[in-house]
Amino acid sequence: APEVHKTRVAARRLRSTLRSFGDVVDPAPAEELNNELVWYADLLGQVRDREVLSHRFTELIADLPVDQVRGPVEAEITKALATEQDDATRRLNEAMRTRRYQRLVRLLRSWKTAPPLSDAADAEDKTAAKYVKEAKRKADKRLRKAGGDVDRLHRARKAAKRLRYAAELVEPADNRMKRIARDAKEVQTLLGEHQDSIVAAGFLTTLSSA
């Protein structure tokens, strides 16, 4: 569902902001919020990932020549993913009826009205662009060191995503951020395709061995 995707992206953006601009907020409440967002985003991701996989496989199978599609492969994949997605949706709905979820909502509201800013937030020698520069340095470093390693490429993708979110956040105050955000998005998209392929291959391996 679009709502699941949008909420997951919002949680990711917030976690990314906490990390990229970490010293402008008090560490203890930031860690608390981050931990709760990890929990919630994981539940959202379990639903969303099945949606993405289902769409991906439907398109790939449709592009194959008829003689290369053996048996009801699309129906089997769709059925397996639908079952997993139903289970993931049930877990998400159950989680949203818990006290932990209500606590997360209260945390988000309190951060919106009274964010726990640190002394660094008022420092005159700090500008938002400096945080983006640091995020870019980390992203570039991870990308250079990734090589063909799957795990390192995944970490490089996450670093590129943090850079993009940081640049987009600063862009209204600094037009130079537009190009940085665009370039980071391109890297994120390319590495995202690679990661999606890894996840898809893992799903097919599990399905074929069941």
Side-chain angles (χ1 to χ4, degrees), residues 6-209:
K6 290 179 181 178
T7 307
R8 187 189 189 192
V9 171
R12 283 177 166 177
R13 281 185 178 274
L14 183 48
R15 288 190 61 221
S16 178
T17 301
L18 289 175
R19 183 162 181 173
S20 297
F21 302 88
D23 70 341
V24 301
V25 293
D26 289 337
E31 182 179 5
E32 179 186 25
L33 178 57
N34 180 72
N35 290 340
E36 296 309 300
L37 287 171
V38 169
W39 166 72
Y40 187 46
D42 180 61
L43 291 165
L44 294 165
Q46 292 177 32
V47 178
R48 175 60 180 168
D49 288 346
R50 271 67 181 183
E51 292 179 349
V52 172
L53 275 177
S54 182
H55 180 71
R56 184 181 186 89
F57 284 131
T58 298
E59 287 190 337
L60 289 173
I61 293 172
D63 290 340
L64 287 173
V66 177
D67 60 334
Q68 291 186 19
V69 181
R70 307 295 177 86
V73 60
E74 182 176 356
E76 291 182 17
I77 291 176
T78 301
K79 181 181 179 181
L81 285 171
T83 299
E84 291 187 6
Q85 186 172 339
D86 286 344
D87 289 342
T89 301
R90 175 184 52 79
R91 291 192 296 272
L92 174 62
N93 288 332
E94 289 176 352
M96 293 178 69
R97 293 192 291 269
T98 63
R99 290 182 178 180
R100 184 173 186 178
Y101 177 75
Q102 294 302 321
R103 180 167 170 269
L104 171 59
V105 172
R106 290 195 298 271
L107 273 176
L108 291 171
R109 287 173 177 168
S110 68
W111 273 74
K112 182 178 180 180
T113 56
L117 299 177
S118 68
D119 293 340
D122 295 323
E124 294 183 359
D125 63 335
K126 288 283 189 178
T127 66
K130 289 184 178 180
Y131 292 97
V132 177
K133 183 179 180 180
E134 177 62 16
K136 187 176 187 306
R137 185 190 67 78
K138 291 179 179 179
D140 290 345
K141 181 179 179 180
R142 285 194 177 186
L143 190 58
R144 286 196 306 269
K145 292 187 173 182
D149 184 85
V150 172
D151 291 335
R152 289 185 177 183
L153 285 171
H154 184 48
R155 289 195 293 270
R157 177 200 178 196
K158 290 194 291 186
K161 187 184 301 182
R162 283 193 294 271
L163 170 59
R164 172 194 168 190
Y165 290 161
E168 288 177 345
L169 184 63
V170 179
E171 186 179 323
D174 190 335
N175 194 52
R176 296 174 301 172
M177 299 297 113
K178 182 178 293 188
R179 180 176 179 179
I180 295 175
R182 184 188 67 236
D183 291 346
K185 183 178 180 180
E186 290 178 358
V187 173
Q188 176 193 338
T189 300
L190 180 62
L191 294 178
E193 283 292 322
H194 178 268
Q195 179 64 21
D196 288 348
S197 298
I198 298 297
V199 172
F203 170 79
L204 290 176
T205 299
T206 301
L207 185 64
S208 64
S209 60

